[in-house]
Amino acid sequence: MSFSQSSGESVIPPALPRHVAVIMDGNGRWAQKRLLSRIFGHEKGAEAVRAVVRTCRELGIPFLTLYAFSTENWQRPQMEIDALMGLLRRFVDAEGAELIEKNIRLKVIGTIERLPADLQASLRRLMGDTAANSALQLNLALSYGGRDEITRAARAIARRVQAGTLNPESITEETLADHLDTRGIPDPDILIRTGGEMRISNFLLWQAAYAEIFVTPTLWPDFGRESLLRVFEEFQQRERRFGRV
Ligand code: FPP
């Protein structure tokens, strides 16, 4: 990243994103290219997660959201689902202490209730233990789908209307945003997708309305600090107009 300026000028660091969201795709292809099982690709993918979390914290990015398991991923072979749940258990066990020590807050978005009970319990414990941390908020999207999230928000709002505590005419975009799993979190500035597919895949459908989209052919296990810094450099070149001229 080029923060350097000619001598004498005041150095104003170029804008970094406040919230980075990532569709971590390509673990399976990474493994298949090496004639390895897809599960090995997910294991390498977990290493890339560590590298990206560390880099975001180091740069002072306040929010990072990783799409680790979608509502659609429940349709994968049971063996692959079990392996992914195992990796998440290992992530919580092995990285929990580092999250606490490095002042990183963990939050899960999605229907955590669908995860195995022991994993739910350890995620909830770690969310509690890191609740006051402030260097970086790591949002793990688990059993997450944008449509599912919006549907749950609609139900919650409908219940308030039914109870007589909310007038339908007073519902605004803010009301909806406040009933999403991401309430209180700014919308992502950047949506990165690795693995080259040009799709949103049901990720942060509401929140990504104005996100700058970066699709890279790099497969997720090969994505790390350098790739992330390149995306940030490109982000700094883009002009964001939010629908204005
Ligand atoms: C997509 O690759 C990736 C996933 C469905 C899971 C992402 C999980 C990890 C990166 C590891 C565990 C996460 C944490 C937070 C420790 P794919 O299998 O769809 O790849 P393909 O498109 O090449 O088949």
Side-chain angles (χ1 to χ4, degrees):
M1 208 166 327
S2 45
F3 288 95
S4 55
Q5 303 217 339
S6 59
S7 60
E9 284 176 43
S10 62
V11 177
I12 302 166
L16 280 168
R18 265 210 306 172
H19 183 177
V20 178
V22 190
I23 301 176
M24 310 183 286
D25 198 18
N27 293 346
R29 278 167 283 164
W30 185 94
Q32 278 158 358
K33 268 176 37 180
R34 289 162 178 77
L35 305 178
L36 297 166
S37 94
R38 297 175 53 81
I39 288 160
F40 199 77
H42 295 313
E43 282 177 17
K44 290 298 281 187
E47 286 175 28
V49 166
R50 284 184 264 279
V52 164
V53 171
R54 284 193 186 126
T55 305
C56 284
R57 183 194 169 276
E58 213 179 279
L59 293 175
I61 308 284
F63 298 94
L64 170 68
T65 303
L66 300 177
Y67 205 5
F69 196 88
S70 71
T71 44
E72 291 73 26
N73 286 157
W74 290 114
Q75 287 154 36
R76 293 203 173 189
Q78 193 57 44
M79 212 176 84
E80 187 170 341
I81 295 174
D82 292 345
L84 282 165
M85 296 301 141
L87 275 176
L88 288 164
R89 283 188 189 95
R90 259 162 57 191
F91 180 80
V92 173
D93 292 346
E95 310 299 321
E98 182 168 342
L99 297 190
I100 294 168
E101 181 205 330
K102 296 269 169 68
N103 198 18
I104 299 172
R105 177 179 188 179
L106 177 76
K107 180 177 167 68
V108 171
I109 62 169
T111 39
I112 191 172
E113 298 77 14
R114 282 189 76 181
L115 300 176
D118 67 304
L119 180 57
Q120 271 185 55
S122 51
L123 284 165
R124 287 186 205 280
R125 199 173 319 117
L126 191 53
M127 281 194 276
D129 290 345
T130 61
N133 290 358
S134 56
L136 166 69
Q137 179 164 327
L138 169 63
N139 303 311
L140 281 187
L142 295 175
S143 190
Y144 176 86
R147 288 183 171 184
D148 176 64
E149 181 189 33
I150 294 169
T151 306
R152 286 186 283 111
R155 265 189 225 124
I157 292 171
R159 277 194 295 269
R160 289 183 54 197
V161 170
Q162 194 177 37
T165 58
L166 183 65
N167 172 1
E169 299 315 314
S170 69
I171 295 173
T172 61
E173 291 186 6
E174 281 67 39
T175 318
L176 209 121
D178 282 347
H179 288 80
L180 296 174
D181 298 342
T182 51
R183 70 192 142 270
I185 300 172
D187 285 345
D189 305 293
I190 290 189
L191 173 60
I192 301 172
R193 181 170 188 139
T194 61
E197 311 274 7
M198 304 283 183
R199 279 194 292 275
I200 301 253
S201 297
N202 206 10
F203 189 43
L204 301 178
L205 293 182
W206 173 276
Q207 300 87 338
Y210 286 101
E212 291 290 324
I213 299 179
F214 294 82
V215 176
T216 166
T218 305
L219 303 175
W220 176 251
D222 292 327
F223 193 89
R225 181 189 168 78
E226 291 310 312
S227 323
L228 188 63
L229 294 182
R230 272 198 297 277
V231 170
F232 291 166
E233 269 187 34
E234 206 184 316
F235 173 71
Q236 288 165 348
Q237 315 297 322
R238 289 198 193 177
E239 190 192 352
R240 301 181 78 201
R241 292 198 298 273
F242 299 98
R244 298 183 293 261
V245 287

